Amino acid sequence: MLHHIELYVSDLAKSEAFWGWLLHRLGYSEYRRWEQGFSFRRDQTYLVFVQAEERFMDPPYHRCRVGLNHLAFHAGSKEHVDELTVELLRRGTPLLYPDRHPYAGGPGHYAVFFEDPDRIKVEVVAPPAFRDDEGS
């Protein structure tokens, strides 16, 4: 089991506004908070967000460089993916691959793809029991 992931972010306040509601909706609870960061926990795994120092801001993050490509989370159901999609759009977060949504991951892979404020790709995917294998 994964213990934790630590992400350095360019704007802590923007990251907290983005990740806070999302992680709550995915079953995470706020774990710790300090001047330069915060974390959310679910069971034994936690996510840490830390304000990056100015000297490390350039070049900015890009998922196609060496390192992290994206974070993928379990949704509770297909309906959960749909609810999060509506909320993301309401908050002004554009979807990635909108022409293939919700099957951008392939037939039977019901998910929503989007980016956080630092353009880290995020995926929320329905469990296999709720996947529609007739998807396009």
Side-chain angles (χ1 to χ4, degrees), residues 19-129:
W19 285 102
W21 77 269
L22 178 63
L23 291 172
H24 279 292
R25 295 283 300 271
L26 293 172
Y28 287 76
S29 300
E30 189 172 319
Y31 181 45
R32 295 194 173 136
R33 173 175 299 281
W34 61 102
E35 186 177 338
Q36 295 299 316
F38 61 92
S39 62
F40 279 81
R41 182 179 187 155
R42 181 172 177 180
D43 301 323
Q44 299 297 315
T45 303
Y46 60 98
L47 295 158
V48 181
F49 301 87
V50 179
Q51 176 63 55
E53 293 179 33
E54 189 64 38
R55 64 188 173 127
F56 297 120
M57 297 285 207
D58 193 35
Y61 169 83
H62 194 286
R63 70 177 174 266
C64 290
R65 290 190 185 112
V66 173
L68 180 73
N69 176 267
H70 72 284
L71 296 171
F73 295 89
H74 292 281
S77 65
K78 177 182 168 188
E79 292 76 20
H80 192 195
V81 170
D82 294 340
E83 291 166 7
L84 291 172
T85 300
V86 168
E87 182 65 14
L88 286 161
L89 293 172
R90 187 189 73 72
R91 290 172 173 269
T93 303
L95 302 185
L96 296 175
Y97 328 114
D99 58 320
R100 295 182 281 153
H101 175 77
Y103 294 103
H109 188 83
Y110 199 93
V112 60
F113 295 84
F114 50 98
E115 292 177 324
D116 87 339
D118 286 306
R119 302 202 58 214
I120 294 173
K121 184 165 81 171
V122 182
E123 174 183 3
V124 180
V125 61

Side-chain angles (χ1 to χ4, degrees), residues 2-27:
L2 187 65
H3 189 271
H4 73 276
I5 295 173
E6 186 166 323
L7 300 174
Y8 278 64
V9 300
S10 64
D11 186 318
L12 193 62
K14 282 184 183 177
S15 291
E16 184 172 12
F18 177 87
W19 285 102
W21 77 269
L22 178 63
L23 291 172
H24 279 292
R25 295 283 300 271
L26 293 172

